[in-house]
Amino acid sequence: KNEVEQSPQNLTAQEGEFITINCSYSVGISALHWLQQHPGGGIVSLFMLSSGKKKHGRLIATINIQEKHSSLHITASHPRDSAVYICAVRSMIKAAGNKLTFGGGTRVLVKP
Amino acid sequence: NAGVTQTPKFRVLKTGQSMTLLCAQDMNHEYMYWYRQDPGMGLRLIHYSVGEGTTAKGEVPDGYNVSRLKKQNFLLGLESAAPSQTSVYFCASSSQRGPQGRDTQYFGPGTRLTVL
C-alpha cells in the first residue's frame, strides 16, 4: 500500500462544476502539499497545510490530521484548471531533510 | 529571479553513455532535490542535499551520483546510462524555516531524458 493515495485518478468535469480531489496518507506528517502540474510539465506548489483550511482564489484545501486525509476543491471550474494535481506529504522526522512523499496524481480535465 | 533552472531540457543518450544534469537556484535555498517522474508513478526522490557539500540518498538512488559543491547548484550524474533511466527529471529547492523546515519546494521545468 502506498503511503500517499489519491482519488480519483482521473476526473472530467464541465466548466463551472465543483471539483473535489482526495488524498489519504498513512504516516505521521508535519505538512501536506498540493501541487499542480500543467500539460507542459511544469510543477507549481499550490498549498502547504499542517492544519485546517487554506483558500486561494477558487482553490480550497483542507486537512484532517486525525483522519490522515486532505481534500482539494476547485470551485467554478474552468478549462484552464485542467492539469494533474499532486498531493505530497512531509515526514515528521526532522532528519528526513524536508523530503516529500508523493501521491500518484489526479488528472483533471475541464471541458468548456 | 530565475527561480530553479535545469540544463538541458531534453537529451537522448545511448546505453552506457554518461551525462550530467545541472540544477541551479537563485533563492539561496539550503535544500535541493532530484526527482524522477515516470508514467503511472508519482515523483520519486533520487538524491537530496541539505546544504553545500552534503548529499544523501533518496528513494531510488541506484545508478545516479550527485554533487553540491556550491550552494546554488546541484548536479545529477549518470555514469553509465540504462534504458530504465528514461524519465523526466525534476530538480527542486526549498529553504528551512522554523524547527521543522516546512517551506515550499520550488520546482525546475524538468529534463526529458531518453536512453536508447
Side-chain angles (χ1 to χ4, degrees):
Chain A
K1 188 178 187 301
N2 292 334
E3 290 184 351
V4 183
E5 296 273 1
Q6 288 185 235
S7 63
Q9 286 187 316
N10 296 282
L11 184 159
T12 300
Q14 287 298 128
E15 184 173 355
E17 287 184 342
F18 183 84
I19 291 171
T20 296
I21 302 166
N22 297 299
C23 176
S24 297
Y25 53 92
S26 58
V27 297
I29 69 169
S30 62
L32 182 143
H33 294 249
W34 281 102
L35 308 166
Q36 180 189 56
Q37 185 172 25
H38 272 285
I43 300 173
V44 175
S45 180
L46 297 174
F47 295 103
M48 183 174 63
L49 296 163
S50 55
S51 65
K53 176 180 176 179
K54 285 190 176 180
K55 184 175 189 290
H56 181 68
R58 295 180 293 104
L59 300 178
I60 303 168
T62 64
I63 188 168
N64 185 318
I65 296 293
Q66 286 73 30
E67 294 187 2
K68 291 185 167 63
H69 181 268
S70 176
S71 293
L72 177 68
H73 306 285
I74 305 175
T75 62
S77 60
H78 189 276
R80 64 175 175 265
D81 297 325
S82 298
V84 176
Y85 292 85
I86 301 169
C87 171
V89 301
R90 173 173 291 127
S91 169
M92 288 182 74
I93 303 171
K94 186 180 180 182
N98 283 14
K99 289 187 293 182
L100 295 177
T101 302
F102 295 83
T106 296
R107 187 174 299 275
V108 172
L109 175 63
V110 182
K111 294 184 176 180
Chain B
N1 288 349
V4 180
T5 58
Q6 291 181 230
T7 309
K9 289 187 168 52
F10 303 92
R11 186 73 186 266
V12 178
L13 291 178
K14 294 181 180 178
T15 297
Q17 287 185 318
S18 63
M19 78 163 293
T20 300
L21 282 68
L22 170 64
C23 175
Q25 52 94 5
D26 61 2
M27 297 173 281
N28 201 34
H29 284 168
E30 296 88 355
Y31 291 89
M32 296 187 75
Y33 315 83
W34 275 108
Y35 297 98
R36 60 178 289 172
Q37 186 178 42
D38 301 293
M41 305 187 73
L43 287 154
R44 293 182 292 169
L45 183 65
I46 303 171
H47 285 280
Y48 66 101
S49 168
V50 300
E52 182 178 324
T54 70
T55 63
K57 293 180 180 180
E59 186 183 349
V60 288
D62 294 342
Y64 305 94
N65 57 76
V66 288
S67 64
R68 183 109 181 260
L69 299 179
K70 295 182 179 180
K71 187 176 185 179
Q72 63 267 33
N73 295 338
F74 194 29
L75 278 63
L76 178 72
L78 286 72
E79 290 185 348
S80 180
S84 61
Q85 293 178 305
T86 294
S87 187
V88 181
Y89 292 85
F90 286 96
C91 175
S93 70
S94 69
S95 67
Q96 184 181 19
R97 295 179 188 169
Q100 293 186 335
R102 299 178 179 179
D103 209 356
T104 299
Q105 287 195 14
Y106 295 85
F107 286 80
T111 295
R112 187 172 295 275
L113 175 66
T114 301
V115 183
L116 303 175

